[in-house]
Amino acid sequence: MASRIKTNAEKYIVCPFCSLHCDDILSKSDGKKYSISSEASKVSEANKTCLKKIESFNINAKSILTPTIKNKKANLSSALKYTRQILKKQKDAIIVNHGIDVSGVRSMLNFALNYNCSIDHINSKFLYQNIGIVQRTGYMATSLTETKNRGDVIIVFGNNILCKTPRLIEKVLIPSNSLCTNAKNKKIIFIGEFPDKLLKNLSKKYNISYIKTKIDYIPDLLNLLSDIGSIKIPNISKALVTKIKPIISKSKYLVATWSASDFINSKNPDKIIQAISQFILDRNKISRAACMPISGSLGDTTSSQTLTWLTGFPSRIKYAHGSFVHDRNIYNNEIIIDKKNTDVVIHISSLSPNKIKINENLKNIFIGHPNSKFTSQPDVFIPVGIPGIDYEGIMFRTDNVVSVALKKIRAINLPTTKEILDELT
Amino acid sequence: MNIKLESGNIFDPQNNIFNKKMDLYIADGKIISKKNIKGKINKIINCSNKIVMPGAIDMHTHIGGGKVNIARLMLEDFHIENNKNFDSSSIIAPSTIKTGLKYIEMGYTTCFEPALLPVNARQAHSEMADIPFIDKGGYALLGNDDFFLDLLRKKASQSMINDYVAFILNATQSIGIKVVNPGGINAFKFNQRALNVDEKSKYYNITPRDIISKLTQSIYDLGIAHPLHVHCSNLGIPGNYLSTIETIKAANSLPIHLTHIQFHSYGNNGDKAFSSASVEISNFLNKIPNLTCDVGQIMFGQTVTMSGDSMSQYRNHNHAHPKKWMCMDIECDAGCGIVPFKYKDKSFVNALQWVIGLEIFLLAEDPWKIFLTTDHPNGAPFTSYPHLIKLLMDRSFRNDILKQLPKSIRDHSILHTLKREYSLNEIAIMTRAAPARILGLQNKGNFSEGSDADITIYDKNNKDIENMFAHPIMVLKDGKVVVENGKVKNYLWGKTQTIKPEYDASIEKVLNKFFDRYHTMKLDNYIITESEMSNLIGSEIVTNKCKYERKQ
Amino acid sequence: MRPLVLQLKHKLSYRLDMSFLSDFNKLKSLTKLKDKKIIYGSQEIMLKELFNISGSNMKNIIIKKASSLMDNIGKNIEDLSIKVYGNVGYAFGAHMINGELTLYGNTLDYTASGLKGGNIMIFGSVGKYFCGKPNASNEGIKDGLVYVKGNVGDNSIQRMRRGVVIIEGNVGDYACDEMISGTVIIKGIVGKCFGKNIKRGTLFVKDKKLTKNYVKSNNAKYNFIDFYLKTLFKIIGKKIIKNNSLIRFYGNKDVNNMSEVFLIKN
C-alpha cells in the first residue's frame, strides 16, 4: 500500500472484472472515489455496461468497511482472533474462491496447507468443461490478438456469451484495425439461441449470419455443415445451411468461440464442446482454424493456472497431511455445502458482483470486497481490497496465455486478501 | 557467516583446476580466498574423499510458461498415479515445487527456460518464481512475431532491429534471445505447413535465413553474451541436417547456438529413409569456432513434447501417446504445441534418435562447445541426466543398452565403433563451466573469488557414476546448505538472471502505435518492470553485464 | 479365515475417500491395517478410529452400513473381494484392475469409470457417467464385467472398448456413445441418443426403437451366442435372457457402424 495515488489524474486501469481484462479504460480518482471517464474511452453500448460495472464497486452507503463478527462491527484484530478460533475447532473446512488475483491464490494454497482444507472455485463446473477437452483429446486453440488480426470468419456458439464479455465483438471479433485481414470483411456466424434484439442491433453494423437452434443440436448441425451424415434438425432450413457452408469453406482462419456456462442446460455439454473442437480439427486439414473458449469471469483462469503450476491440478484439491489430493467429485463445493458435509466455509471474494449463497447451518468466514452481497450474514466478514482498484496484482485473461498487471487507483486503507490469509496461516 | 570446505577434490574448469585436493572458503554466500576472510570460520565441512564442483547449470529446460502449464493440465492422469508424496505431480510435467526439489537433489542450481514468449513472460516468470532453490532465467522468443517480420519486410535498419531486440530483453526480463523455427510458426498461421531455410513465407516474403542473419547480427552488435539460441527449421524431418547446416551458414560466422541438435541431425539414407547425420553435423561443430550446441538426448519411456514450434508439433500430432495433443497460435507473437509421446526402444526411429544423440556427444571434440541436455521434457525428463552421464562415461554400459535395440540400428549407425569415454573433467566442463561461459554468467560455474557459492559435493567412493550424480551428498546454494546427506534441509528461493542492453526509446513509440492498433493490450501492460518482478511476480533479479558497449 | 468386516462407528459427517482399500494387499499384518492412517475431513486418523474392525482375511472385505458419503470404494483394487451393504458415493469401482465388488445398495456418478478388469455386481441403481471415461482421459472401460439390477443415469458407457455390461433396469440419455467394442445387455428402456458414433460391439436390447437404424439379418442359428450367454449367466448366477428369443440385426456400414444388435423378444 506504499505507492501514493495522484489525485484527479487520468490513469488507465486494467479492469479485473471480466476475463478480457481490458486496459484501455481511463479512470479518474480522488484517492477514494473513482470514475471511469467515458469521453476518453471510445464509447459503445457494450462499453457503457462495462463502465457501469466498474463504477459499481465504488464505496457507497451499503459498503462494509470494517470487519463484522456475527453482523456486529469489530476491529480487524478481534475479527482475526475470532476467525482463528473457528479454524482451530474445524474438522473439515473448504475454501470457495469467488475470484482473486495470483498472489491471493498463492496465499490460499498456503492457507490450505496449514489447515488441511480443500480448495474449489465457484465456477469449477464450467471450468472443467473446457479443461475436459484439453485432458481428453486436446484441441487447436488461439488467443484474442490472433483472432483480432487473422480471424476472417468467426463462429460464436451459445446464448449468453456476449453479456459476460461485453466488449468481445468491438475489441476482438470485429475490431476497427486488423493486421492481416480486412476488418470490414470479417464475418460472424452465430449458432445457438441469442436474443433477437441483440442480433438485430449487430446486423446493422456488422456482417452477421445466424442459425437459431437449440444448444443440444450443435453437434448435429456441425455435421451438416461439414457434410457428415444427414440428420434432420428441427426448424433448420436446407437453404440456410447451404448459405452458411461457403462462408466456412472460404475462410482462411476460422475461429470458434463459446462460453462453457452457456451450455449448462444441456444434458451433455462435453459433447457439444467436443463436436466444436472436432469441427475445427477437420477444418485444419485444409485450412487454418482454431478454438477460443471464453471463460474466467470470476478469475477462474487465474485460479486454475496458478494452482496447476503449484500442484499439477487446476481445482478441487486438498492438501492432506503430506500430499496434494485431487478428486473432482469429492471436493465439489456445491455438494459439500448443500449437504453440510463440512464445518467451515471460507469464502474468498475480492471481485465478484454476485450475491453469494451462504449456508447458515455452517460456519462461514467471508473475506470479501466492501461491496460484497450475500444471502445471509456470515459469522465473520473481513473487508479486503479489490485487485486492480485497491492494490496491484496479476490476473490471467480468458485465453490463458496473457496475464495482466493490475494497477492501484484508490487508497482506502483496506488490507489485501493475501495479507489476511497470510495473517491467518 | 564463514564456511570452510576442507580438503575436497576440487573441479573448477574455468580456473583450470581439475581434481585438485584443496580447501574452499565461503563468506556471505560468495566464494572467497583464504587471505580475505574477516573473522573466524563458523563452520567446517569435511570434504575429504568428496568431489566438489560448482552447482550444475541446465541451459535448456522447459520449466515454466504457458505450454508447461498446459502439459501439467493435460497429463493429470499421470499425476494421479504418483500422488503418494508431497511432490504429487508426474516428473514429465512436474509442478514448480517438484521441479525445484528434483533439480536441487541432483545438484543443479541454475536453470534456463528456453522458450519464454514475450507476451507470456509474466506467467513464465511467475511460475519460475514459485520454483524453490534454483536461480533461473529465460530466453525471449523472437523471429515469428508479426512486428519483427513487419520490420524485416519494410527493410528496417539493423540499428532499429537492435533497438527492438534490446527492448524485448528489457521488457521481458530475459537473458537471451531464442528463435524457434524461424518464420515457420508465423507461416503456419497462414496455412504453410513447412518452411525451408531459403523458402519465402507467403505473407511476409521473408526467408528463415534473413531472420537468422538479422538476429545473430543484432545480438553481436548489442554485446549480449549468449549467442542466438536457435531451434532450426524442419524439426524431426528425415534429411533435415541439410537445413541445419544452412542455418549455421546463415549466421555469417557470428556466434550461434543450435539447440537440441539431435532432433535436427537426421539423414534420409538407407532402406528406412531415416539415418544418422551425426558425422556431418559434428564436422561442422568441430570446424566452426563460433558454433555451440546442446544435444537434446532422448531416453526411452513416456514423456511429453512441448515446443513453441506449432508447425512441427501439428505435423507430429498423429504420434501422440496417449492420444491427445494441443496446438495454439499465440498473440501475433509465436505459438505452442504439446504432444505427449512415448519413446519405444523397439521402434527403429526412436532407437536411432537415441543413438544419434550419443554419437553427437561422442564425436564432439571440445566439451566447451557442447552441452548436456535432454530438452526436458521433450527428449526425457531432466532426472535422467545422471543416466546420460553414465552412458557417456561408461562404454560397456552404453554398448549393453545398444545390444538390446533393434538389430538394424547397427547398420545405420557408428555408435558401436566409438570408443570414447567422457572423463569427469569433461563432464564438469559441459555441465558447469561451459554453460556459465556461454551465458555470460561470470559468477556461476566457477570458484573464482566473488562467485556465487553454489556448490555440489559428490561422494568420491561411490562406484556407480549414475548413482553418484543422482544423489550428491551435499548441495549449497548461495553459501547455504540446502541438501545434506541427500535430503533437502531447508527451502530458499533463487533469483532471476537477466541482461539489460541499452536501446533508443524511440522504438517504444513505434511499438506503442502498433500495440494500440493491433494488440489487445497496451504496451505498458506488456512490459515487466523490475519492481513488478520483485513485488508481484516474486523473484529478485540479477542484471548481468553485456560483453562490450553496443556497436550499432 | 473370516472375512474382514468394516462397520462405521458413527454416522459420517464429511465425505470419505475410500481409495485406501487398494493399499490393503500391501499391508503386512492386521495391526498395521487397523493403524493405517486415513484422511477424514482435515484430520489424519487411524482406520480403527472410524470403523469397528473384525475378522482377519484381508483379501475378503465386507463393509456394513455403508454411507453415500463413501467415495472411491474399490478404486484401483487388485485381487480383492469387497462386499458392501448400503448406499455408496461417487466412483464406485473406478479404475478397478481386478477383483470382485458386490454392492447391495445404490451408487452415485462415475461408477466403474475407467474399469480395467474384474467383476462388479450392483443390486441397486447407479448415477450418471456409469462405465464411462475417467475425468482426465478419453478411454472408456477396457475390460471387466458389470451387472446392475436397477436403473442407470445419463451419459453412461462412453467409449467402451472391451468387457460386458448388463443392465436389468432402464438407461438414461446418450448411452453407448462412441462405443468401440464389447458387449452390452439392456433389459429396460433406453433414453435419447443411444449409440451415437458406435463402431463395433454386441448389444442385447429389449427396447425396440434401438433397431431402427439397423438391418435385420437372416434367420440363422446363433450357436455361439447360446454358449456365450450360458457362461455369462453362470458368472452372474442368473438367467436373464431366454436363449431362443433373439432376433439379430446388424449395423449400417455406410456410417461405419459395424455393431450388431440382438433384440430380445418378450
Side-chain angles (χ1 to χ4, degrees):
Chain A
M1 279 188 284
S3 66
R4 281 181 34 225
I5 305 287
K6 263 194 207 158
T7 46
N8 286 327
E10 280 204 322
K11 188 176 178 182
Y12 282 109
I13 72 160
V14 183
C15 168
F17 303 112
C18 114
S19 56
L20 293 184
H21 292 305
C22 302
D23 57 2
D24 56 350
I25 300 165
L26 274 171
S27 75
K28 230 181 204 177
S29 163
D30 61 3
K32 298 238 178 322
K33 193 174 161 66
Y34 60 86
S35 59
I36 305 299
S37 67
S38 43
E39 297 91 28
S41 48
K42 298 151 226 152
V43 172
S44 66
E45 272 310 305
N47 219 326
K48 275 182 196 156
T49 52
C50 287
L51 306 187
K52 260 190 206 156
K53 188 177 175 184
I54 302 171
E55 286 186 347
S56 77
F57 284 85
N58 256 315
I59 300 300
N60 58 38
K62 281 184 189 166
S63 302
I64 322 168
L65 289 162
T66 37
T68 62
I69 299 174
K70 301 203 164 163
N71 208 11
K72 277 187 194 132
K73 280 189 179 178
N75 62 22
L76 182 61
S77 65
S78 53
L80 286 172
K81 196 176 161 195
Y82 186 75
T83 309
R84 274 194 213 100
Q85 279 167 5
I86 295 177
L87 289 169
K88 219 176 207 177
K89 280 187 221 145
Q90 58 89 16
K91 291 208 160 113
D92 188 280
I94 181 166
I95 300 173
V96 185
N97 178 2
H98 300 268
I100 182 72
D101 67 322
V102 169
S103 72
V105 180
R106 282 171 169 162
S107 295
M108 196 169 78
L109 191 75
N110 232 346
F111 177 91
L113 247 72
N114 198 42
Y115 292 102
N116 292 305
C117 51
S118 50
I119 297 177
D120 194 6
H121 192 284
I122 192 74
N123 278 356
S124 281
K125 66 170 177 250
F126 309 129
L127 182 77
Y128 272 122
Q129 283 169 24
N130 285 336
I131 287 177
I133 193 81
V134 181
Q135 295 187 329
R136 292 200 168 117
T137 56
Y139 68 126
M140 294 287 281
T142 190
S143 66
L144 300 182
T145 305
E146 287 293 342
T147 308
K148 177 177 176 179
N149 294 311
R150 255 178 276 274
D152 55 352
V153 175
I154 292 132
I155 312 184
V156 184
F157 295 92
N159 43 41
N160 200 27
I161 174 169
L162 296 176
C163 300
K164 274 175 211 139
T165 45
R167 297 183 66 202
L168 186 67
I169 289 200
E170 59 165 71
K171 272 199 77 179
V172 182
L173 304 189
I174 308 191
S176 37
N177 299 303
S178 175
L179 186 62
C180 311
T181 60
N182 186 343
K184 280 179 195 146
N185 288 344
K186 290 199 182 214
K187 297 180 179 76
I188 311 190
I189 304 166
F190 287 91
I191 298 181
E193 290 173 294
F194 290 88
D196 289 331
K197 202 178 148 196
L198 175 91
L199 291 186
K200 213 175 171 186
N201 281 339
L202 287 174
S203 65
K204 283 177 201 154
K205 266 170 101 180
Y206 307 118
N207 187 347
I208 64 165
S209 330
Y210 179 32
I211 307 182
K212 190 173 179 172
T213 175
K214 283 220 168 79
I215 294 291
D216 274 325
Y217 290 118
I218 287 176
D220 290 334
L221 182 67
L222 290 174
N223 280 345
L224 270 189
L225 288 172
S226 40
D227 283 325
I228 309 167
S230 53
I231 300 161
K232 269 196 185 151
I233 304 166
N235 303 326
I236 291 199
S237 71
K238 228 179 179 179
L240 185 60
V241 174
T242 7
K243 202 187 107 195
I244 303 284
K245 260 191 201 170
I247 301 179
I248 293 173
S249 62
K250 277 182 201 153
S251 72
K252 287 184 174 149
Y253 196 97
L254 180 77
V255 177
T257 182
W258 69 86
S259 165
S261 56
D262 283 8
F263 304 147
I264 194 61
N265 291 325
S266 162
K267 264 193 178 174
N268 206 344
D270 298 345
K271 196 82 196 162
I272 299 173
I273 297 176
Q274 198 191 326
I276 298 173
S277 160
Q278 190 57 48
F279 176 74
I280 291 294
L281 285 185
D282 292 343
R283 188 76 204 132
N284 268 299
K285 285 173 188 155
I286 342 162
S287 172
R288 281 308 316 278
C291 304
M292 188 181 66
I294 299 293
S295 63
S297 52
L298 292 174
D300 327 14
T301 31
T302 305
S303 162
S304 75
Q305 286 279 355
T306 313
L307 288 176
T308 302
W309 82 60
L310 286 166
T311 69
F313 305 110
S315 193
R316 296 190 181 161
I317 46 177
K318 178 173 187 161
Y319 179 74
H321 300 271
S323 70
F324 291 114
V325 271
H326 161 78
D327 197 306
R328 214 169 285 186
N329 310 317
I330 299 182
Y331 308 121
N332 182 342
N333 73 81
E334 258 176 82
I335 294 171
I336 289 181
I337 295 173
D338 278 356
K339 297 199 170 163
K340 293 181 279 173
N341 297 138
T342 188
D343 302 336
V344 181
V345 186
I346 301 121
H347 294 276
I348 293 174
S349 167
S350 66
L351 43 82
S352 169
N354 302 338
K355 196 169 204 175
I356 287 161
K357 217 173 110 187
I358 282 189
N359 187 337
E360 295 165 59
N361 299 308
L362 302 168
K363 291 265 180 214
N364 289 284
I365 298 166
F366 202 112
I367 299 169
H369 62 85
N371 292 10
S372 295
K373 288 173 272 180
F374 14 75
T375 54
S376 64
Q377 281 296 328
D379 295 76
V380 193
F381 177 85
I382 300 176
V384 287
I386 302 168
I389 302 284
D390 296 315
Y391 63 95
E392 297 175 345
I394 295 175
M395 282 189 85
F396 279 82
R397 226 166 58 177
T398 174
D399 47 20
N400 280 315
V401 292
V402 177
S403 40
V404 293
L406 306 174
K407 291 171 186 164
K408 177 183 168 140
I409 57 164
R410 172 171 88 175
I412 53 168
N413 270 330
L414 283 175
T416 66
T417 307
K418 175 187 158 59
E419 283 161 358
I420 295 295
L421 286 173
D422 289 352
E423 191 65 34
L424 290 169
T425 302
Chain B
M1 178 148 146
N2 299 326
I3 303 174
K4 178 185 184 189
L5 302 182
E6 203 167 54
S7 55
N9 293 58
I10 307 281
F11 284 79
D12 182 7
Q14 177 71 39
N15 295 314
N16 235 332
I17 297 169
F18 292 102
N19 208 2
K20 187 176 162 195
K21 212 172 176 108
M22 55 190 266
D23 301 335
L24 210 59
Y25 297 90
I26 303 166
D28 300 325
K30 306 274 181 205
I31 304 288
I32 193 166
S33 62
K34 192 179 176 185
K35 63 174 195 289
N36 288 336
I37 294 178
K38 286 174 193 130
K40 60 169 196 216
I41 305 270
N42 309 73
K43 186 175 177 167
I44 296 175
I45 297 167
N46 181 4
C47 293
S48 56
N49 281 320
K50 310 257 161 55
I51 292 170
V52 181
M53 289 188 188
I57 299 169
D58 194 344
M59 58 110 64
H60 189 107
T61 170
H62 297 276
I63 49 175
K67 61 196 178 320
V68 187
N69 231 18
I70 294 172
R72 290 185 186 115
L73 196 64
M74 183 184 273
L75 299 169
E76 184 184 299
D77 32 352
F78 290 89
H79 300 326
I80 290 169
E81 281 169 21
N82 285 309
N83 76 352
K84 299 287 176 207
N85 302 315
F86 175 68
D87 46 8
S88 40
S89 52
S90 155
I91 191 62
I92 58 175
S95 68
T96 49
I97 301 170
K98 183 163 183 167
T99 306
L101 276 169
K102 291 291 156 191
Y103 261 121
I104 203 75
E105 280 171 7
M106 274 191 342
Y108 273 74
T109 50
T110 311
C111 300
F112 291 89
E113 161 60 51
L116 190 128
L117 268 61
V119 80
N120 188 243
R122 190 167 278 123
Q123 174 178 11
H125 282 305
S126 300
E127 283 186 34
M128 288 197 281
D130 283 341
I131 299 178
F133 314 113
I134 57 171
D135 278 2
K136 43 252 160 180
Y139 315 142
L141 269 192
L142 282 182
N144 283 292
D145 50 320
D146 288 87
F147 180 79
F148 176 73
L149 295 176
D150 199 40
L151 283 186
L152 290 201
R153 178 169 61 176
K154 287 179 185 149
K155 306 244 176 321
S157 67
Q158 183 69 43
S159 121
M160 188 172 180
I161 289 169
N162 295 355
D163 284 332
Y164 178 57
V165 169
F167 164 81
I168 286 288
L169 282 165
N170 279 274
T172 62
Q173 306 286 344
S174 308
I175 194 172
I177 295 287
K178 186 194 188 195
V179 55
V180 173
N181 189 355
I185 303 172
N186 191 281
F188 180 58
K189 294 174 185 171
F190 294 99
N191 203 26
Q192 260 173 298
R193 303 298 166 113
L195 193 69
N196 281 318
V197 181
D198 287 310
E199 191 175 341
K200 281 186 173 168
S201 64
K202 271 191 237 160
Y203 188 81
Y204 285 103
N205 221 6
I206 290 164
T207 64
R209 186 184 296 276
D210 300 336
I211 296 170
I212 297 277
S213 57
K214 289 282 179 204
L215 283 175
T216 42
Q217 184 68 47
S218 181
I219 283 170
Y220 174 77
D221 289 347
L222 291 169
I224 296 158
H226 189 45
L228 184 66
H229 198 92
V230 184
H231 159 138
C232 301
S233 312
N234 294 328
L235 178 136
I237 298 177
N240 65 5
Y241 78 99
L242 290 171
S243 40
T244 308
I245 289 169
E246 286 310 310
T247 306
I248 297 168
K249 289 180 182 161
N252 304 322
S253 307
L254 291 176
I256 184 169
H257 176 88
L258 301 189
T259 189
H260 40 71
I261 189 105
Q262 177 273 127
F263 291 108
H264 303 277
S265 306
Y266 303 152
N268 50 7
N269 299 328
D271 48 350
K272 306 222 157 80
F274 184 68
S275 60
S276 168
S278 57
V279 176
E280 290 85 343
I281 292 294
S282 310
N283 282 343
F284 263 87
L285 179 66
N286 294 334
K287 197 172 69 191
I288 296 185
N290 275 331
L291 173 64
T292 52
C293 66
D294 65 89
V295 174
Q297 176 66 28
I298 70 133
M299 296 288 173
F300 303 114
Q302 175 73 47
T303 189
V304 53
T305 64
M306 51 176 84
S307 169
D309 192 348
S310 47
M311 185 190 253
S312 300
Q313 292 293 71
Y314 182 79
R315 190 169 55 229
N316 294 332
H317 75 258
N318 286 328
H319 302 295
H321 180 285
K323 216 175 145 190
K324 48 184 171 186
W325 57 278
M326 186 159 163
C327 281
M328 187 167 187
D329 298 328
I330 298 170
E331 292 294 281
C332 292
D333 206 16
C336 81
I338 292 100
V339 183
F341 192 79
K342 194 172 186 175
Y343 292 103
K344 300 183 187 92
D345 54 0
K346 298 282 178 289
S347 145
F348 171 79
V349 171
N350 297 163
L352 196 62
Q353 286 179 303
W354 182 85
V355 165
I356 292 169
L358 291 177
E359 284 176 355
I360 293 171
F361 270 119
L362 297 168
L363 290 169
E365 286 160 10
D366 185 357
W368 287 92
K369 292 178 73 181
I370 191 159
F371 307 97
L372 189 132
T373 67
T374 56
D375 192 13
H376 163 83
N378 292 329
F382 61 81
T383 43
S384 49
Y385 288 166
H387 178 79
L388 177 54
I389 291 174
K390 189 173 181 182
L391 285 171
L392 298 178
M393 291 183 72
D394 186 340
R395 187 179 175 225
S396 64
F397 178 68
R398 184 164 75 220
N399 283 345
D400 284 348
I401 296 181
L402 186 60
K403 269 179 210 146
Q404 293 162 18
L405 302 183
K407 280 216 177 76
S408 49
I409 289 292
R410 271 177 92 92
D411 309 332
H412 289 79
S413 80
I414 55 161
L415 185 63
H416 57 282
T417 66
L418 298 176
K419 293 203 171 68
R420 179 170 176 200
E421 288 183 336
Y422 266 77
S423 69
L424 217 47
N425 295 352
E426 288 172 318
I427 296 291
I429 293 170
M430 76 194 300
T431 57
R432 271 93 175 158
R437 186 186 282 181
I438 200 77
L439 287 158
L441 303 171
Q442 277 143 14
N443 294 331
K444 302 265 176 211
N446 64 59
F447 290 143
S448 310
E449 176 140 24
S451 285
D452 296 341
D454 300 348
I455 301 168
T456 310
I457 304 171
Y458 301 104
D459 183 5
K460 200 181 160 200
N461 294 333
N462 196 332
K463 288 278 175 305
D464 182 12
I465 204 78
E466 179 175 347
N467 192 284
M468 184 189 101
F469 275 105
H471 306 288
I473 39 182
M474 188 178 271
V475 181
L476 289 90
K477 176 79 184 58
D478 290 323
K480 294 186 190 76
V481 178
V482 275
V483 176
E484 198 169 352
N485 295 325
K487 294 226 164 63
V488 171
K489 291 276 282 188
N490 54 53
Y491 274 70
L492 52 86
W493 304 86
K495 295 182 175 128
T496 302
Q497 301 286 338
T498 64
I499 195 162
K500 301 274 164 63
E502 277 175 41
Y503 63 92
D504 184 344
S506 65
I507 189 76
E508 286 191 13
K509 272 188 198 149
V510 186
L511 273 161
N512 231 330
K513 229 186 225 167
F514 184 84
F515 267 69
D516 283 350
R517 275 179 81 84
Y518 301 120
H519 265 257
T520 42
M521 76 196 293
K522 289 201 164 288
L523 186 68
D524 275 356
N525 201 351
Y526 173 89
I527 297 170
I528 302 172
T529 61
E530 289 187 16
S531 73
E532 189 189 342
M533 276 302 282
S534 54
N535 297 336
L536 299 183
I537 288 168
S539 178
E540 296 295 324
I541 62 162
V542 177
T543 308
N544 292 280
K545 279 195 198 111
C546 293
K547 284 200 290 194
Y548 39 74
E549 261 182 39
R550 184 173 164 169
K551 294 200 166 149
Q552 204 186 346
Chain C
M1 277 203 294
R2 279 185 21 247
L4 190 83
V5 180
L6 300 176
Q7 189 168 348
L8 275 177
K9 282 184 173 169
H10 316 282
K11 215 180 137 208
L12 288 180
S13 311
Y14 319 119
R15 297 210 80 88
L16 177 64
D17 185 351
M18 297 282 286
S19 53
F20 56 79
L21 291 170
S22 63
D23 296 342
F24 276 17
N25 341 10
K26 288 169 217 152
L27 300 172
K28 296 250 160 63
S29 70
L30 202 57
T31 356
K32 284 227 167 105
L33 186 143
K34 285 180 179 170
D35 293 348
K36 185 175 171 54
K37 295 251 172 79
I38 59 167
I39 305 288
Y40 179 54
S42 59
Q43 316 292 307
E44 192 177 37
I45 56 171
M46 281 188 269
L47 192 64
K48 64 184 177 194
E49 292 176 65
L50 206 58
F51 291 96
N52 284 318
I53 304 169
S54 63
S56 57
N57 188 347
M58 283 157 61
K59 292 211 154 187
N60 190 357
I61 300 158
I62 295 175
I63 300 172
K64 284 188 177 165
K65 290 188 183 161
S67 146
S68 60
L69 291 177
M70 287 180 172
D71 301 316
N72 296 339
I73 295 181
K75 187 175 174 181
N76 285 327
I77 61 163
E78 238 174 310
D79 296 327
L80 277 184
S81 159
I82 306 176
K83 267 201 182 87
V84 187
Y85 296 87
N87 297 339
V88 299
Y90 293 106
F92 179 77
H95 302 271
M96 180 167 138
I97 299 158
N98 201 354
E100 304 261 347
L101 265 180
T102 315
L103 171 71
Y104 299 94
N106 302 329
T107 76
L108 299 177
D109 304 350
Y110 295 102
T111 299
S113 67
L115 185 71
K116 295 184 187 110
N119 294 348
I120 301 180
M121 310 284 284
I122 299 168
F123 297 95
S125 290
V126 302
K128 290 185 276 189
Y129 299 98
F130 160 74
C131 280
K133 309 181 268 196
N135 282 322
S137 141
N138 202 32
E139 294 175 355
I141 69 168
K142 287 182 177 163
D143 209 346
L145 182 146
V146 190
Y147 167 83
V148 180
K149 179 96 203 297
N151 299 333
V152 165
D154 296 333
N155 299 323
S156 294
I157 326 181
Q158 291 185 327
R159 282 190 84 85
M160 175 175 179
R161 186 170 286 277
R162 279 183 292 274
V164 187
V165 180
I166 305 156
I167 300 160
E168 291 225 53
N170 302 333
V171 176
D173 300 344
Y174 298 100
C176 293
D177 197 64
E178 294 182 22
M179 184 165 161
I180 299 160
S181 192
T183 307
V184 177
I185 302 175
I186 301 171
K187 287 191 71 184
I189 295 160
V190 170
K192 278 189 300 184
C193 297
F194 181 90
K196 266 214 156 171
N197 300 332
I198 187 168
K199 279 200 187 119
R200 284 180 298 275
T202 311
L203 309 165
F204 294 84
V205 293
K206 224 170 185 175
D207 194 339
K208 219 173 171 182
K209 68 171 181 272
L210 298 190
T211 58
K212 212 172 78 184
N213 293 328
Y214 284 79
V215 186
K216 196 173 169 186
S217 122
N218 59 8
N219 208 8
K221 293 243 177 221
Y222 311 113
N223 292 328
F224 173 73
I225 291 293
D226 285 354
F227 173 75
Y228 180 76
L229 289 175
K230 233 182 233 171
T231 323
L232 203 58
F233 299 156
K234 231 182 236 172
I235 299 170
I236 61 169
K238 193 174 172 189
K239 190 168 175 178
I240 43 173
I241 303 172
K242 280 181 201 148
N243 292 21
N244 54 7
S245 63
L246 301 173
I247 310 168
R248 182 174 176 270
F249 294 79
Y250 56 85
N252 185 353
K253 265 191 191 155
D254 297 342
V255 288
N256 216 3
N257 177 355
M258 285 168 285
S259 63
E260 54 179 352
V261 172
F262 289 92
L263 188 67
I264 308 164
K265 282 194 295 190
N266 285 322

